[in-house]
Amino acid sequence: MPQRRKRGRERADATVISVTSAQPGRSEELESRIFRYAWMMSLRVVCFVGAVITPSPWRWILLVGAVFLPSVAVVLANARQTKEVSGAEVYVPPARPELGPDHDTEK
């Protein structure tokens, strides 16, 4: 009696399909968005500190930057980074051997 293969178990000679063109995972995308937002807010803190210690013309420029940076930071943090995905190659399964006439299933 031939051995049966369990469903889901792969053969040793099975070809592995590559998924390198897949979009990044949700958690990875969220981490990058948090990172971008944190950098923008740290730049805002630098603008506030700079506004306190710099003379008059620079002070107003830095204050305007500190006021408008939060809205810019939110827009940039919520913008998703889309990766250009090219069309995937069509998967052609390997040919399966046919059963001969001596393997009748209705016996």
Side-chain angles (χ1 to χ4, degrees), residues 70-102:
S71 58
V72 173
V74 168
V75 170
L76 290 179
N78 287 333
R80 292 183 173 218
Q81 291 180 344
T82 56
K83 190 187 336 182
E84 188 68 31
V85 179
S86 62
E89 295 180 20
V90 177
Y91 174 70
V92 180
R96 296 178 133 189
E98 295 181 7
L99 295 176
D102 56 337

Side-chain angles (χ1 to χ4, degrees), residues 9-28:
R9 180 177 277 173
E10 294 184 30
R11 288 192 222 165
D13 64 339
T15 307
V16 177
I17 306 301
S18 175
V19 232
T20 57
S21 62
Q23 296 288 337
R26 178 121 170 97
S27 61
E28 184 179 328

Side-chain angles (χ1 to χ4, degrees), residues 17-95:
I17 306 301
S18 175
V19 232
T20 57
S21 62
Q23 296 288 337
R26 178 121 170 97
S27 61
E28 184 179 328
E29 180 187 357
L30 183 62
E31 286 176 13
S32 72
R33 289 166 57 183
I34 291 171
F35 183 75
R36 279 185 281 169
Y37 185 77
W39 272 107
M40 294 293 279
M41 289 299 102
S42 64
L43 183 60
R44 182 180 188 211
V45 169
V46 169
C47 284
F48 273 126
V49 171
V52 170
I53 61 174
T54 58
S56 187
W58 290 104
R59 173 176 296 149
W60 301 113
I61 294 170
L62 290 172
L63 278 176
V64 168
V67 168
F68 289 110
L69 266 175
S71 58
V72 173
V74 168
V75 170
L76 290 179
N78 287 333
R80 292 183 173 218
Q81 291 180 344
T82 56
K83 190 187 336 182
E84 188 68 31
V85 179
S86 62
E89 295 180 20
V90 177
Y91 174 70
V92 180

